[in-house]
Structure formats: C-alpha cells, structure tokens
Amino acid sequence: MSSVLSVLVVLHLLSWAVALGLWVAAAGTRQPNKAIAHASATALVIGIVMMGLSMATGGTGHLWFALKLLFAAIAAIFSVVAISRREETPSLVWFGIPTAIVLNVIVAVFRIGA
C-alpha cells in the first residue's frame, strides 16, 4: 500500500506542477488554458483518493486533509471560472489559482514533516 500512496503522491504533485506551470505561461496574456482546469481537477481527484486510502488504513490528520481539500477545490473552481470568463477574469480569481496551488503544496510539505 505504501508504494501505491507514493505513486499517487508523485502524480498529485506533478498535477499541481503542471497547473502552476500553465498558469505562469498564461500569466502574461491572462488567457487561461483549459489544461489548467484539467490539471487542477486531476490533482483534486488524486488527493481525494489518497485521503480515502489514508483514512481506510487508519491515517490521521483530518485537519490537513480538510485544508488541502479546500485549497484544491478553490484552485479547480477558480480555474473553471477563469476559462469561462477568459480576459474578463477578475484579479481575485486569476491570482487565486496560483495562491491556492502554492498553499496546497505548503500544507502537504508541512504535513509530511508533522
């Protein structure tokens, strides 16, 4: 089970890296790419799967899971809103995407050390 969780962690972090990289690539033009939403949604789904597997095996840290779920949902929802609004995307939504991604990764790193 440990190797399955390790593979899921790698895929989860790669999904966030892709989402953040695509946001950085689109930051100059503020034209969001649909792949940002796909990568964010993929990270969200993989995170939910990891949360379920961790809790099924007796894992703790429900607060950390809740925080990560919140930030992942914000990033995914903001990504979808940005795609639908295109150039009229509000700054809160546009800059909320990378903020939520970075906060998600920060929570993950500090959870690993806890």
Side-chain angles (χ1 to χ4, degrees):
M1 184 60 81
S2 175
S3 58
V4 171
L5 280 172
S6 295
V7 168
L8 289 174
V9 167
V10 169
L11 292 174
H12 182 68
L13 290 175
L14 286 175
S15 296
W16 284 130
V18 167
L20 188 60
L22 289 168
W23 183 90
V24 168
T29 61
R30 243 174 136 155
Q31 291 290 328
N33 186 339
K34 288 183 181 182
I36 296 173
H38 291 279
S40 296
T42 300
L44 175 63
V45 170
I46 291 172
I48 291 170
V49 169
M50 287 189 308
M51 181 176 65
L53 288 175
S54 177
M55 288 184 181
T57 58
T60 59
H62 301 288
L63 173 64
W64 297 103
F65 287 137
L67 283 173
K68 285 186 56 59
L69 181 63
L70 174 69
F71 293 137
I74 289 170
I77 291 168
F78 280 4
S79 298
V80 171
V81 169
I83 289 168
S84 66
R85 292 276 188 93
R86 305 301 291 167
E87 26 320 297
E88 292 105 27
T89 302
S91 292
L92 174 70
V93 172
W94 182 249
F95 293 106
I97 296 169
T99 303
I101 292 170
V102 169
L103 288 172
N104 192 299
V105 172
I106 288 171
V107 169
V109 168
F110 283 108
R111 172 61 185 129
I112 291 171

